[in-house]
Amino acid sequence: MDEGTPEAGRTPISGDEPGYGIGAVARRLGVPAPTLRTWNLRYGIGPSRRSPGGHRRYDAGDLRCLEEMNRLIHAGVAPADAARQALKVRRPGGGPTEADCDEQVPGPPVREGEILSPAMLARAAIALDARTVGDAVEAALDRHGVVPTWERLVLPTFAVITRRQDETGLGIEIEHMFSDRLLFALNSVAGRLSHPVHPRPVLVACAEEEQHSLPAHALAAALAERRVETRVLGARTPYSALAEAMRRIGPAVVFVWSQQAETGDPAPLGRLPRLRPASRILVGGPGWQEGLPPRAALVTSMPAAISAVLSALR
């Protein structure tokens, strides 16, 4: 028998033992390790001790809690309700341990529709908990709207994720999963638009070879909240394709996003078609270089972009 594997008789561990790792607990309960991590993140049911080397370990009280959680779920109890009941059996007296108070362990269960902090949302992303990420972003968008969610939740969460990438060289999968859930939520907001306030749409695109498209989708969602119809062409839009789209739909405003300096050459903007009635040209993002043509205006924030669009529609 491997060291750290619970014995068949389920003998409680003593106070001097380091406890059990997640693999051993997963084998004992027949619950996949990713599910155990999700229960810890979403409901606060996780390891409450550490080994001498600093690794998290489940003790006997944690095992009782997990066994009860597993039993209740198999009995048909909703996971959130099962977690509330299971937490009562963690240990007699119910007092928190040192690990319970650790900053990496969430406190109250995360319920559907609850607004998470950027730190909690980043932990969900790092755990690749797509459901929690999606639910949290959608709840924030529904309660606060696109601009506050983008500025106060999404951007700080991205900062945590990218800082982790810089420090470890790992985590592209985290960024991609978070981006996917965010894009789904933003497109859902944009898709709710009915009865736009202006007959001419706003055309939104990324500069040629610019692959960072989330800000463009966020702007489209924010405009949809204000009943402004958009057409989003997405990442890496060739200027020839943007020009053709302008001719076909006659947008009131064209917005082009550039995040990287390599994609921020302003010269192609001067060659975009001049329509009648005219299209207002707006650009956003830190990639734009100096020398914007006179017909193009730089906006430096999402609220500024929204204000400029609404002004052009009047």
Side-chain angles (χ1 to χ4, degrees), residues 272-299:
L272 291 176
R274 297 178 178 274
L275 306 177
R276 290 290 181 268
S279 298
R280 177 78 185 277
I281 308 296
L282 300 175
V283 299
W288 290 107
Q289 304 165 19
E290 295 183 356
L292 287 173
R295 62 186 299 211
L298 176 66
V299 290

Side-chain angles (χ1 to χ4, degrees), residues 147-232:
V147 173
T149 297
W150 181 260
E151 294 182 341
R152 302 174 193 171
L153 180 63
V154 171
L155 292 182
T157 300
F158 264 125
V160 174
I161 293 171
T162 55
R163 184 167 61 247
R164 186 177 187 273
Q165 288 178 348
D166 293 341
E167 293 171 352
T168 66
L170 304 172
I172 295 298
E173 72 283 0
I174 298 169
E175 180 184 356
H176 285 189
M177 185 278 293
F178 182 71
S179 298
D180 174 77
R181 292 296 83 201
L182 176 59
L183 179 59
F184 179 85
L186 291 171
N187 285 343
S188 296
V189 174
R192 300 172 193 165
L193 174 65
S194 60
H195 307 297
V197 296
H198 197 279
R200 299 171 65 197
V202 174
L203 190 58
V204 181
C206 292
E208 193 162 337
E209 299 305 324
E210 178 56 67
Q211 60 184 338
H212 296 88
S213 62
L214 282 173
H217 288 280
L219 176 61
L223 291 172
E225 290 181 329
R226 293 154 179 82
R227 296 175 55 201
V228 175
E229 185 179 12
T230 61
R231 300 283 195 279
V232 182

Side-chain angles (χ1 to χ4, degrees), residues 45-93:
I45 296 179
S48 59
R49 300 180 60 180
R50 292 183 183 273
S51 70
H55 300 290
R56 294 188 177 278
R57 291 292 184 264
Y58 294 84
D59 66 11
D62 301 326
L63 295 181
R64 287 194 298 270
C65 182
L66 288 170
E67 288 167 350
E68 180 68 3
M69 174 82 168
N70 198 32
R71 183 189 70 79
L72 290 169
I73 289 176
H74 282 291
V77 178
D81 294 331
R84 283 191 287 271
Q85 296 181 49
L87 284 167
K88 298 176 183 178
V89 304
R90 170 169 272 172
R91 57 178 43 82

Side-chain angles (χ1 to χ4, degrees), residues 230-257:
T230 61
R231 300 283 195 279
V232 182
L233 303 184
R236 292 178 169 174
T237 302
Y239 283 104
S240 59
L242 177 59
E244 179 61 23
M246 290 176 63
R247 296 186 187 99
R248 292 175 65 182
I249 67 174
V253 179
V254 176
F255 177 88
V256 186
W257 174 264

Side-chain angles (χ1 to χ4, degrees), residues 110 114-124 136 152-154 156-157 160:
V110 178
E114 183 174 348
I115 307 300
L116 300 186
S117 68
M120 292 182 68
L121 185 57
R123 284 201 294 270
R152 302 174 193 171
L153 180 63
V154 171
T157 300
V160 174

